[in-house]
Amino acid sequence: MCNELGIALSRKRPVSEQKDMEAKWTELGSEEMDLSRFRPVYSPKDFLDVLVSLRNPNLSNSEQGAATLWGDIKIPLKVNNLQNLRSEFEELTSNISQVEVDNYSSFDTEHCVTFLHERSVLGKKVLQTNHSPLSREYAKRGCLQSQRANLWCQILGISIHNEDRLKFEHLKSCVFRHDLMIDKLIFKDIRLTAANDDQYFVFEDLLYQILLVFSRDVSIVEHFRYSSATPPKGFLRGRSGQEEGLVVYPPSGIIPYHGFTMYVTPLCYLYDDPVTLYGVFKELFCRYLCCLHTVSSHPQGILCLCLQFEMLLHEADPQLMYHCAHHDIHPLKIAQKWIMRMFAGYLSVDQVLLLWDRILAYDSLEILPVLAVAIMSFRKSILLTAENQATLEAMLADVSTIKVVPLLQWLLTRSV
């Protein structure tokens, strides 16, 4: 892209430009720049094309493992069935009271008040223990809005100290000193996504700060040691072709794709301190989000999650799966976008946060395909009238009214 546009991957800013950017740091949304020539490196749709094209060279099409895969993913990996998922998410399949379900009930006001009070008191005790496993157990029934920010920090092991603030300031100075081509992609993505979203546009300036700092953080490269992916590299100026001239680019090793911004947006509702927000986002990325755009056989990876969605939909609603196959409709084309973004931008903010409560509580991304199947299964009656891909996508274009926990409970407890 740099070759096409005739620009450098990185350049040092003149002192006047550095001072100007530092002065505008809290209002970067007002920065006027022409981004028309820049385009996202890839989108979730492009990534899905890669996933569905994958084949195991050691497995012939005639073998049973490949023949039983009805959907778009043709790699026979081991994924959990509905019975295993019911055991894994046991708290959602029992009669245990849940935040959102029991505190908003209009049938028993006294029960609601009692439940909220009990959860609040228990939450305070959990926070006082400063014990991550205990926080996870508490979060399985959902977190109260007033305690969620602190509980997530406790679960992720985030504790902000002076050195964290100094590091954040250092990364800011790196942003001021050097202009990376990646910066344009970050600005473009924020303007295409969050800046056009009624729920998130007010955080535009904060998003620029967090993602620009993220792109300079070399410590994020460490997660590649435990990943099948490798960070992209570029040659230093004047050292092209020399192996010792290769460096990771960008410094974080992460090139943002279309929609990457939406990983940060829900966190803006929890943390007004940029340093704490950045710390939580970085930890979330290194633990979970990196799995959603990396090709691997990891059970928490996007490939397994997509396969689990298809296998689970076939198990929970074979009639809907057969209808889609008969009309050459691909439900995964819709579900993969939901899963890859962890539903941010698709559900209302409060529902996204309740969903992420469970991801942190169970330390698992498997709840994402379960919710995707629940949405389609719940709307089965209308989806069965769709006779082409465009109609199905139109029917599922707006899922913002979905209530996450009741829907998950409905799928995990109903008989198939």
Side-chain angles (χ1 to χ4, degrees), residues 296-313:
S296 75
S297 59
H298 193 283
Q300 298 289 314
I302 187 66
L303 189 62
C304 276
L305 296 179
C306 288
L307 179 59
Q308 185 165 73
F309 164 78
E310 292 189 322
M311 300 294 279
L312 189 58
L313 183 62

Side-chain angles (χ1 to χ4, degrees), residues 162-376:
N162 285 337
E163 52 266 35
D164 299 299
R165 299 193 180 279
L166 289 173
K167 183 178 179 180
F168 190 81
E169 289 301 316
H170 168 70
L171 293 172
K172 275 172 59 177
S173 69
C174 293
V175 176
F176 300 151
R177 285 199 302 268
H178 289 89
D179 176 23
L180 303 185
M181 185 270 203
I182 289 294
D183 298 347
K184 309 299 189 300
L185 298 180
I186 290 172
F187 272 80
K188 180 92 172 184
D189 190 56
I190 292 174
R191 292 182 182 182
L192 287 175
T193 55
N196 289 322
D197 193 305
D198 291 343
Q199 300 179 98
Y200 302 119
F201 74 93
V202 294
F203 302 116
E204 183 180 357
D205 294 324
L206 184 57
L207 292 170
Y208 290 126
Q209 297 173 34
I210 299 301
L211 290 174
L212 288 173
V213 165
F214 177 84
S215 68
R216 271 75 171 178
D217 195 340
V218 296
S219 66
I220 293 168
V221 177
E222 282 295 304
H223 91 274
F224 285 102
R225 294 174 57 188
Y226 313 99
S227 169
S228 62
T230 52
K233 295 182 178 181
F235 286 103
L236 292 171
R237 187 171 300 160
R239 303 179 70 177
S240 179
Q242 302 175 25
E243 187 174 345
E244 60 272 17
L246 271 177
V247 294
V248 173
Y249 180 86
S252 66
I254 305 298
I255 297 178
Y257 58 84
H258 179 57
F260 190 85
T261 300
M262 302 309 289
Y263 289 149
V264 190
T265 49
L267 302 177
C268 295
Y269 277 89
L270 299 183
Y271 307 99
D272 53 8
D273 174 28
V275 181
T276 307
L277 171 56
Y278 179 72
V280 172
F281 169 61
K282 177 183 171 181
E283 191 64 27
L284 273 175
F285 178 85
C286 293
R287 289 198 193 191
Y288 304 106
L289 304 176
C290 61
C291 299
L292 298 175
H293 53 88
T294 302
V295 178
S296 75
S297 59
H298 193 283
Q300 298 289 314
I302 187 66
L303 189 62
C304 276
L305 296 179
C306 288
L307 179 59
Q308 185 165 73
F309 164 78
E310 292 189 322
M311 300 294 279
L312 189 58
L313 183 62
H314 182 241
E315 181 182 0
D317 253 309
Q319 182 186 7
L320 179 57
M321 194 69 174
Y322 175 79
H323 172 83
C324 291
H326 180 69
H327 291 281
D328 193 28
I329 296 173
H330 304 270
L332 185 60
K333 288 186 176 180
I334 303 170
Q336 181 255 357
K337 293 185 291 184
W338 296 342
I339 294 170
M340 197 168 169
R341 276 199 192 177
M342 297 217 302
F343 284 90
Y346 294 104
L347 301 177
S348 59
V349 178
D350 62 320
Q351 297 302 306
V352 171
L353 295 174
L354 285 165
L355 175 63
W356 289 19
D357 281 346
R358 273 68 184 188
I359 290 173
L360 291 172
Y362 291 99
D363 193 25
S364 172
L365 293 170
E366 289 179 292
I367 200 79
L368 298 173
V370 174
L371 179 59
V373 170
I375 291 172
M376 293 193 181

Side-chain angles (χ1 to χ4, degrees), residues 5-287:
L5 301 177
I7 60 175
L9 283 170
S10 175
R11 70 174 180 88
K12 188 170 183 179
R13 301 183 197 272
V15 175
S16 59
E17 191 177 325
Q18 292 181 35
K19 292 180 178 179
D20 185 53
M21 187 165 193
E22 187 173 0
K24 293 182 177 179
W25 180 246
T26 58
E27 47 187 39
L28 291 172
S30 62
E31 187 76 12
E32 293 291 334
M33 62 175 69
D34 181 15
L35 300 173
S36 59
R37 297 188 302 160
F38 295 88
R39 64 184 187 278
V41 178
Y42 68 96
S43 67
K45 178 183 178 298
D46 299 321
F47 193 54
L48 179 60
D49 292 339
V50 173
L51 296 178
V52 300
S53 68
L54 295 174
R55 297 292 183 273
N56 184 350
N58 300 313
L59 184 69
S60 67
N61 290 330
S62 60
E63 291 187 50
Q64 185 177 2
T68 55
L69 297 172
W70 286 29
D72 293 323
I73 304 298
K74 299 301 182 183
I75 302 290
L77 300 170
K78 184 179 181 180
V79 295
N80 282 325
N81 58 25
L82 188 56
Q83 188 59 43
N84 290 338
L85 291 168
R86 283 171 174 160
S87 299
E88 182 177 349
F89 303 115
E90 184 178 0
E91 283 79 0
L92 288 170
T93 61
S94 60
N95 292 324
I96 301 175
S97 298
Q98 302 279 336
V99 172
E100 182 206 23
V101 178
D102 291 75
N103 57 321
Y104 296 125
S105 170
S106 59
F107 299 105
D108 190 344
T109 305
E110 185 178 347
H111 168 73
C112 296
V113 173
T114 303
F115 174 70
L116 281 173
H117 177 70
E118 289 175 351
R119 290 297 288 174
S120 178
V121 172
L122 182 58
K124 290 177 182 177
K125 291 181 179 179
V126 169
L127 286 170
Q128 288 172 358
T129 65
N130 195 25
H131 189 54
S132 179
L134 193 61
S135 301
R136 287 188 187 279
E137 198 62 33
Y138 174 84
K140 287 181 179 179
R141 295 170 63 184
C143 303
L144 297 180
Q145 180 65 27
S146 59
Q147 298 173 342
R148 179 177 282 123
N150 292 329
L151 283 166
W152 282 19
C153 284
Q154 193 161 294
I155 290 172
L156 294 169
I158 302 295
S159 182
I160 302 300
H161 303 288
N162 285 337
E163 52 266 35
D164 299 299
R165 299 193 180 279
L166 289 173
K167 183 178 179 180
F168 190 81
E169 289 301 316
H170 168 70
L171 293 172
K172 275 172 59 177
S173 69
C174 293
V175 176
F176 300 151
R177 285 199 302 268
H178 289 89
D179 176 23
L180 303 185
M181 185 270 203
I182 289 294
D183 298 347
K184 309 299 189 300
L185 298 180
I186 290 172
F187 272 80
K188 180 92 172 184
D189 190 56
I190 292 174
R191 292 182 182 182
L192 287 175
T193 55
N196 289 322
D197 193 305
D198 291 343
Q199 300 179 98
Y200 302 119
F201 74 93
V202 294
F203 302 116
E204 183 180 357
D205 294 324
L206 184 57
L207 292 170
Y208 290 126
Q209 297 173 34
I210 299 301
L211 290 174
L212 288 173
V213 165
F214 177 84
S215 68
R216 271 75 171 178
D217 195 340
V218 296
S219 66
I220 293 168
V221 177
E222 282 295 304
H223 91 274
F224 285 102
R225 294 174 57 188
Y226 313 99
S227 169
S228 62
T230 52
K233 295 182 178 181
F235 286 103
L236 292 171
R237 187 171 300 160
R239 303 179 70 177
S240 179
Q242 302 175 25
E243 187 174 345
E244 60 272 17
L246 271 177
V247 294
V248 173
Y249 180 86
S252 66
I254 305 298
I255 297 178
Y257 58 84
H258 179 57
F260 190 85
T261 300
M262 302 309 289
Y263 289 149
V264 190
T265 49
L267 302 177
C268 295
Y269 277 89
L270 299 183
Y271 307 99
D272 53 8
D273 174 28
V275 181
T276 307
L277 171 56
Y278 179 72
V280 172
F281 169 61
K282 177 183 171 181
E283 191 64 27
L284 273 175
F285 178 85
C286 293
R287 289 198 193 191

Side-chain angles (χ1 to χ4, degrees), residues 383-403:
L383 296 183
L384 288 175
T385 64
E387 297 186 353
N388 55 62
Q389 185 73 30
T391 303
L392 190 81
E393 292 186 6
M395 290 175 173
L396 293 169
D398 183 8
V399 293
S400 59
T401 58
I402 289 295
K403 299 297 183 185

